[in-house]
Amino acid sequence: MTPATPESPTDRVVHVSAAVVTDGAGRTLLVRKRGTERFMAPGGKPEPGESAAQALARELHEELGVVVSPADLAYLGRFESDAANEPGFRVLAEAFALTLDPRSVSAAAEIAEARWLTPDEAAALPLAPLSTEHLLPLTWG
């Protein structure tokens, strides 16, 4: 019998693509998935063979009904935080910026709510660590 070995730290990391979506009027789009309470940047996990930008373009279409080209996404960097909906896991996000017309966005797929928020409005909500630690400061300073 082979002895059990501890999980590698890389086994506890969830890779995602995330969007910092603004409307040009000082508001940022945050979403909440069905069955969860924390609001976060839109995005999701890449499928095999997808680049981070391709994954994000696909997720924005599936979850918000928005069609964007990966070339329209401005790369912001790679960020790591505790995962909001997977206790004991870390999330490693490739983040991109995008400006959208709020009228073009509607919650779909697993998204229960999509809200355009000011900093004060967002501060009153439960937020994902990735958003509070990294993504929202990029937008609001």
Side-chain angles (χ1 to χ4, degrees):
M1 181 148 110
T2 306
T5 58
E7 287 182 336
S8 161
T10 58
D11 293 339
R12 312 262 323 147
V13 175
V14 178
H15 294 266
V16 300
S17 295
V20 177
V21 181
T22 57
D23 67 356
R27 297 183 306 168
T28 298
L29 178 65
L30 295 176
V31 300
R32 183 181 62 78
K33 294 182 179 184
R34 283 188 179 82
T36 68
E37 69 172 37
R38 291 182 186 251
F39 283 81
M40 61 186 61
K45 299 171 189 163
E47 293 181 353
E50 280 185 322
S51 71
Q54 289 170 330
L56 186 55
R58 177 184 49 77
E59 290 284 350
L60 290 171
H61 182 252
E62 291 172 1
E63 296 180 348
L64 300 171
V66 176
V67 176
V68 299
S69 165
D72 295 333
L73 303 169
Y75 187 68
L76 296 171
R78 178 181 287 186
F79 304 95
E80 186 174 350
S81 291
D82 287 335
N85 298 319
E86 293 158 314
F89 283 77
R90 301 280 290 167
V91 64
L92 183 61
E94 299 288 342
F96 298 84
L98 180 66
T99 300
L100 292 174
D101 180 338
R103 296 171 295 185
S104 70
V105 174
S106 61
E110 70 265 23
I111 302 301
E113 290 183 74
R115 292 192 193 177
W116 292 93
L117 301 163
T118 65
D120 288 340
E121 292 166 336
L125 295 173
L127 301 174
L130 179 67
S131 292
T132 59
E133 294 169 8
H134 302 290
L135 302 183
L136 292 177
L138 290 172
T139 304
W140 294 327

